[in-house]
Amino acid sequence: MVTSDQILLVPLLPFLAFVTNILAGRWLKDRAAWLSIAASSLACVIALPVCWAVFQGAYFAHQGTWLMLDAVPLRFGYLMDPLSATLLFMVTVVGTLIQTYAAGYMHGDPRYSRFFAYVSLFMFAMITLVISDNYLLFFMSWEIMGLCSYLLIGFYFEKDSAANASLKAFLTTRIGDVGFLLGFLTLFAAIGTLNFSEMNGLLTEAHKTHAALNTGLLAVAALFIFCGTIGKSAQFPLHVWLPDAMEGPTPVSALIHAATMVAAGVFLVARSFTLFMAVPNILPVVTAIGTITAFMAAFIALTQNDIKRVLAYSTISQLGYMVTALGLSGLGAGTFHLITHAFFKALLFLGAGSVIHGAHVQDIREMGGLFRKMPHTAVTFIIASLALAGIPPLSGFWSKDEILLAAFGSGNFLVFGVLLLTAFMTAFYMFRLIFLTFFGTARNAGVHAHESPALMTVPLWCLAVGSILIGIPGSPLMHHWFQRFMAQTVHYPEYEPSALVMACSIVVAVLGITLAGVIYLEKKHWAVTVAKNFPSFYRLSFNKFYFDEFYSAYIVKPFNALSRILFGFDETVIDGTVNNTGRATMFLSGVKQWIDTYIVDGAVNFMGTLVYFLNSVTKRIQTGFIQNYLLIVFLSVLAFLAFELKLT
Amino acid sequence: MIVLPLSHILIFSLLLFAIGIYGALVRRNIIGILISIELMLNAANINLIAFSKYTSLSPETGQIFALFVIAIAATAAAVGLAIVLALYRIRKTVQANEVNLLKW
Amino acid sequence: MPILEIAVKFGTYAVMAGILIFALGVVTLRNLFHCALCLAAALIGTAVIYVVLQAEYLAAIQILLYAGAVVTLIIFAIMLTEHLAETTIRQNNSQSPLAITGLLGLVALLTVLILRTPWPVTQTALKAKVSVMGLGKALMGTYAFPFEVISIILIAALIGTVVIAKKDDPEERL
């Protein structure tokens, strides 16, 4: 059969591309892109047979000992089960297509090779994350992806807004990452292993035998692990970084912030699904957060004017859908939506990039009537929007339908209702975007648009084909093969397909599109009237629910104040100590100088003075007068004589 | 036929010697000093003769000694006076307190 | 005979007193010439004492050398170096109090010493008589070495005196 060790080459090739591009980038120039694309496509080619084998039912896992901790081996390895095979397939295919597009989009940029180096590093990290078999390796790749996100969002670092946005993204996801770290450490404390397979085995065994688990500790672990998802997948309340992350180049937005990195959070919950199922109260929390996110983001997207912002909020909303699905124990539904969303959202972002590249504007109020000038872009964009809105038989319909089915089937009618409303809003804002951008008359006469080169339009068409076809494996046309495939690893409740649900979703989507068409093609004054009559709603939507202002006032400012206080402490106490030590030393040296001058030199001088004084006294003996000497001799002799004679 | 006790002669010579020392210490004139020195040597001679007469086993010893002392005294006086003459030629003075160039 | 003894004793004491008085004159007179004369008198008196002590030869030598040669020498020097008119300067310097004190001490000390010491006065010594011949034999015999040394000294003194007292003209080649 096919061996699976070549899986190790799949992350390795992009890593080599990264190293080469970093070191030899200046020499490679334009060829750097081809190196990255070649590495990525080669990785795809190597990965596909293994994925295909897993799709057939195989299962691969391999572990190697990295190091020994006191006779306990620390093992790292890869795991190819249905979940990882699916994602690996998606990541390699979409990644390669986006890199091809980027070769054309980034043409002429002075840091061309560095871009592709970063992208290759990101591919390496994402692939490692997908195939890793324990939380520690997962976390390491998670962190590397965070780093790449920082580097790529801030790629145009000369712009203040880009530098700030990259820092915001990094710090916000960091908060989630701390939770994730605490989570899996708690998990380790609870069950003693970080390996996914071992964890799954332990938890299912305990469930079967009804053994006692430390559910309190496990619940805490699950909650903290979910914090990582909140951060990385831009859920409420840590979603604020994703709209600002649009400062990066559009291929970056497509790759990282639509298709792959933000999906990593969802993938984390999917991987930990047995854990989430084993603890009682965490899944409702997951569902709640997902639903709130989905609704809130769609609401904000209704009034945004920047083409990439609309897509960013759309991404947040769809991620909310996926998280909700997982919260409703729909592992298959959530993963399915992840895959389909990757394709059509990447396509949407690349299309937006193509529009920006061709028309050189980002604000949709300045566009209009671009259909004729950019036909390929427009058609693929419309296909992707239809998929996102959920029009059958495109992929988005099947995956969204699965989620709605999970909500309806498990009895969560509130969630079902909210998701349905969100679907309506999704269809509305996407087609508002399309009608304002591609149809109607050109509002800004200075915009001279042209179609993008083939290097950019071919990937668009590939992704369009993917958007149409990728939903088939999970649809009734293939008898829900995908859901059954996912159920091989973890058993989760399945629901009967309901015609009612399907009908609701189709009706809602068509309504949304029609309303958008009516307002934005014909009666634009309706939008203005609504905005005037519901000013608070409009303002909430337009100002993104004031999240940024809230965080800035209540979180950022106190931290800055604290840091200023600590800086003051550092300056006065610590630097003060150092400075005062210096001053004390100077003072001591002054004292010593005084001692040296007055006491030491004084002693020396005193000796000299003493000698001089004694000299001035005793020199008078030498009078030069012989009779004095004679007298002295005589008196001395007399004295000796007296002395001697007295003694005798 | 010796009639005086030895101690009397000794005391006499002692007094002579003392007078000689007084002169040597006190006289301003250098020649005066030299004269006083002659007195001292004389006193010593008397002592020698007295001792040789009263106590000595060989009486010639004292007298020979005294002879030599006389010779030496004469020599000393001669050389000393020569020096005084030379000094007088240069410094034009024979006062002892005016020849004190070797003072501090 | 006791009267002779008494006379000799008295005479000796008188001569001694005279010598002392002349000695005092030596050290205190202002006129240096008078000092020299007093010195001569004192030296002659000493010769008399020598005779009393039965050292006749030495008395002769004393008068010959001392009172004759040395005093003459001294008078020559006085003549050559001083104006006899200068007789008004004080002859004592400032040391006299100290010197007198020291001397009184010395005299007192040694007097006590002399009176206390048991001098080994022997009759043989008292009875011994010294002849000139005996002195000559001793000089050439036992004391030949000092005799020779004395002659060297005398030559040295002679030459030295001449050299020192010579006039310092521009040297004529000898």
Side-chain angles (χ1 to χ4, degrees), chain A residues 492-504:
Chain A
Y492 62 90
E494 284 190 43
Y495 303 98
E496 277 299 314
S498 163
L500 175 63
V501 169
M502 268 194 227
C504 284

Side-chain angles (χ1 to χ4, degrees), chain A residues 85-129:
Chain A
T86 318
L87 273 204
L88 186 62
F89 164 73
M90 182 269 281
V91 166
T92 47
V93 169
V94 173
T96 312
L97 288 172
I98 294 179
Q99 285 182 54
T100 317
Y101 176 93
Y105 186 85
M106 298 296 291
H107 184 75
D109 191 287
R111 291 193 292 272
Y112 195 70
S113 58
R114 209 188 292 180
F115 178 83
F116 281 96
Y118 292 155
V119 173
S120 298
L121 182 65
F122 173 79
M123 289 298 291
F124 157 72
M126 185 72 197
I127 294 171
T128 312
L129 182 120

Side-chain angles (χ1 to χ4, degrees), chain A residues 205-220:
Chain A
E205 272 297 313
H207 184 74
K208 278 203 201 104
T209 60
H210 296 283
L213 283 173
N214 192 347
T215 42
L217 205 59
L218 284 176
V220 169

